Amino acid sequence: MAEPQIIWFRNDLRLADQAAVRAAAAAGPVIAVYVLDDETPGKWRIGAAQRWWLHYSLVALAADLKKMGGALVLRRGRPAAELAAVAKAANATAVHALHHYEPWAVTEEAAVAKVLDLTLHDGAYLAPPGTTKSGSGTPYRIFTPFWNALQHAMPPGDPEPAPMIRFAKPPKSDDLDDWKLLAADPDWSGGFDVWTPGEAGAHAALDTFADVAADYEHGRNYPAKPLTSRLSPHLHHGEISPAQVWAAISGRGEGPVSYRREIGWRDFAINIVQQFPRLGDEPNRPQFADFPFRDDPKGLRAWQRGRTGYPIVDAGMRQLWTTGWMHNRVRMIVASFLTKHLLIDWRHGERWFWDCLVDADYGNNSLGWQWIMGSGVDSSPFNRIFTPVGQSEKFDGGGAYIREWVPELAKLPDDAIHAPWDASPMALKAAGVDLGKTYPHPIVDHAKARARALAAYAETKG
């Protein structure tokens, strides 16, 4: 009789188009295991919003396995020790898993490989990280040539359906509720009901996006329009594969072509992580190591809570706090505001996103913040400073996004909602807005903040 095969799930919580599941099922009876590891990642342990998502994604995966006659074994601790314990109880030695590339994931895999027969499979990205290289064989550090090269290897292979699985008798499992993944202080997940974690939820989201994907190119920058995919948390948790997304949106015009670049950026980010494992902690450009950031706890708190006095910034931060997600255009606006208008260290923003985003991906999050800061290997220059009012007028002209997330400004006319401090006293009174009371004055003047940021940058360039 074939030896039981352990499937080690991590951020790959699906059964279809999952190479580790397919290989394990072909080799023998299966034991499905998820290990919650809060130790190996250190300060990069998953944040509160991700923990909420993980709880419900594990519920969905366990239900899918149960329908097939199996169960999901839950363990908490170091993966090598917990998987070894499962293997001993099940008389198994073989472990199958998808390959992950975050620095702590690499550490985990090496530790498991020392005690068990670990086979790692590709499938978390469009192409295996490290395989897209220049003609001279070096890894890319600039996105556009990386993307051009990656496209030569596309499309990815056809997605595979979930295999037939025979299950071995599972050993003892933790109770998911005992992990208290839903506990948060304060409980800011009241708006998370807009999400449906799990493989079925991922495919429902993909179906919804596929219907509007043709409009993605011209609508993706407008936060009030429902034209973004909202697939990022499903991709991050591996409830759907990039190949499945690629296949579903093929043949639907220019919009999908543009969206594929976003999936390609995800591949690019993890390739940069391979080259710079400390991407989330250290600037890629050495001249930013001693950048003169300001220590401003009050400003940081105002930014976190959406109380900066700049409506588009506050709308984005409140959307994040309420739903665990923020429109990508607005992510750039709020990140630029924190790092340049307030001169607060980008790592404070990165960590806030890590805790509050349901799609908080180490590569994407770190690369995005360094892109805005200008400290990344491929980044926007520091002196590109987003003008909040200009961005707001351009991408939320009618103010619909602001009205949704900053309701105290909802009655302001379109020409006043982007900069209420410039509105007439009559317009403010008619809208029920009392600046400084019902809505804050701007915590910083744009022109002065811009000049201060450029001066700090000049000092850095020294």
Side-chain angles (χ1 to χ4, degrees), residues 291-444:
F291 189 87
F293 291 113
R294 296 172 60 247
D295 182 19
D296 183 8
K298 186 176 179 180
L300 177 61
R301 187 67 171 173
W303 177 82
Q304 290 171 337
R305 295 301 192 189
R307 300 288 295 172
T308 69
Y310 284 86
I312 191 66
V313 174
D314 294 341
M317 297 308 294
R318 295 185 195 186
Q319 182 184 33
L320 172 63
W321 181 258
T322 303
T323 70
W325 183 87
M326 190 194 305
H327 187 278
N328 192 59
R329 166 57 57 174
V330 188
R331 293 189 196 199
M332 293 190 286
I333 296 170
V334 304
S336 179
F337 187 88
L338 181 75
T339 56
K340 297 171 183 179
H341 283 74
L342 300 183
L343 278 186
I344 291 175
D345 194 325
W346 59 273
R347 283 159 287 210
H348 288 299
E350 176 197 42
R351 295 299 303 178
W352 187 252
F353 273 26
W354 182 260
D355 201 44
C356 295
L357 282 170
V358 291
D359 64 4
D361 179 86
Y362 180 73
N364 272 2
N365 191 40
S366 303
L367 191 64
W369 277 95
Q370 294 223 39
W371 188 89
I372 284 292
M373 182 65 202
S375 59
V377 290
D378 182 17
S379 61
S380 172
F382 180 88
N383 56 11
R384 182 189 180 194
I385 300 174
F386 283 63
T387 305
V389 174
Q391 291 282 308
S392 184
E393 291 173 340
K394 183 176 181 179
F395 297 112
D396 190 35
Y401 180 73
I402 292 172
R403 288 187 172 90
E404 179 178 3
W405 295 109
V406 191
E408 61 266 41
L409 302 180
K411 294 182 180 179
L412 282 174
D414 292 356
D415 61 357
I417 198 166
H418 306 286
W421 57 89
D422 285 337
S424 69
M426 184 178 298
L428 291 172
K429 184 176 181 180
V433 177
D434 187 350
L435 289 180
K437 292 184 178 179
T438 61
Y439 185 70
H441 291 286
I443 63 173
V444 65

Side-chain angles (χ1 to χ4, degrees), residues 220-260:
R220 65 192 178 96
N221 278 310
Y222 300 93
K225 295 183 178 181
L227 295 176
T228 55
S229 75
R230 298 198 175 223
L231 286 169
S232 54
H234 297 291
L235 282 165
H236 170 68
H237 290 90
E239 298 166 346
I240 199 165
S241 74
Q244 289 172 316
V245 176
W246 186 287
I249 63 175
S250 294
R252 293 176 182 261
E254 289 301 311
V257 173
S258 178
Y259 183 69
R260 285 174 185 161

Side-chain angles (χ1 to χ4, degrees), residues 258-274:
S258 178
Y259 183 69
R260 285 174 185 161
R261 285 178 59 89
E262 302 303 317
I263 307 177
W265 180 265
R266 181 173 173 271
D267 271 53
F268 177 64
I270 203 63
N271 276 266
I272 295 297
V273 168
Q274 275 195 312

Side-chain angles (χ1 to χ4, degrees), residues 71-135:
L72 179 62
V73 177
L74 302 175
R75 294 294 178 94
R76 187 171 193 167
R78 298 272 185 176
E82 295 303 323
L83 289 171
V86 168
K88 182 178 180 180
N91 195 27
T93 60
V95 178
H96 295 267
L98 287 196
H99 200 355
H100 292 280
Y101 298 86
E102 296 81 4
W104 57 88
V106 174
T107 298
E108 291 172 356
E109 291 168 0
V112 172
K114 288 181 179 179
V115 296
L116 294 167
D117 179 13
L118 174 64
T119 303
L120 294 171
H121 305 268
D122 296 316
Y125 298 94
L126 288 171
T131 62
T132 304
K133 296 182 179 180
S134 69

Side-chain angles (χ1 to χ4, degrees), residues 40-78:
T40 310
K43 68 179 181 180
W44 292 107
R45 68 192 291 268
I46 61 175
Q50 290 180 77
R51 296 172 99 80
W52 177 92
W53 191 287
L54 176 63
H55 175 96
Y56 289 108
S57 190
L58 291 174
V59 168
L61 179 60
D64 290 341
L65 289 166
K66 185 176 180 179
K67 290 176 184 176
M68 302 176 75
L72 179 62
V73 177
L74 302 175
R75 294 294 178 94
R76 187 171 193 167
R78 298 272 185 176

